[in-house]
């Protein structure tokens, strides 16, 4: 099975994935400090996980997929025959 970048990655514990999900859900500028404040984990631990599991690239991939899905849905509506 081919994992998508925004899915839990090999070696990423469920608890660590929960931190990534918190990072992914942040609005505006994402930061390790914001995730740490929300989850009670230390900023250093969050930064290490972010680097280890490449959170910024995973978010970029997720946002690109979301944009593609949105475009596909719009195209479907626009090309539907009345």
């Amino acid at each position: 099975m081919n994992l998508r970048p925004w899915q839990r990655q090999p070696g990423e514990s469920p608890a660590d994935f929960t931190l990534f999900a918190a990072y992914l859900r942040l609005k505006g500028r994402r930061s390790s400090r914001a995730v740490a404040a929300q989850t009670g984990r230390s900023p250093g631990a969050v930064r290490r996980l972010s680097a280890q599991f490449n959170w910024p690239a995973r978010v970029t991939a997720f946002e690109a997929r979301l944009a593609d899905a949105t475009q596909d849905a719009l195209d479907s509506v626009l090309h539907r025959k009345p």
Side-chain angles (χ1 to χ4, degrees), residues 4-19:
R4 294 184 171 139
W6 52 88
Q7 294 177 309
R8 188 161 65 99
Q9 300 298 297
E12 187 175 36
S13 73
D16 294 346
F17 180 71
T18 299
L19 294 175

Side-chain angles (χ1 to χ4, degrees), residues 8-75:
R8 188 161 65 99
Q9 300 298 297
E12 187 175 36
S13 73
D16 294 346
F17 180 71
T18 299
L19 294 175
F20 168 68
Y23 181 79
L24 182 64
R25 285 191 304 269
L26 289 174
K27 301 292 181 201
R29 190 166 183 216
R30 292 177 175 91
S31 73
S32 300
R33 183 173 289 139
V35 172
Q38 283 183 4
T39 63
R41 296 286 298 269
S42 75
V46 173
R47 276 193 302 277
R48 281 189 296 281
L49 287 169
S50 175
Q52 180 181 357
F53 292 105
N54 202 1
W55 290 1
R58 291 169 71 186
V59 167
T60 298
F62 178 81
E63 289 176 340
R65 177 61 187 106
L66 189 60
D68 288 345
T70 300
Q71 186 63 57
D72 290 347
L74 287 171
D75 289 345

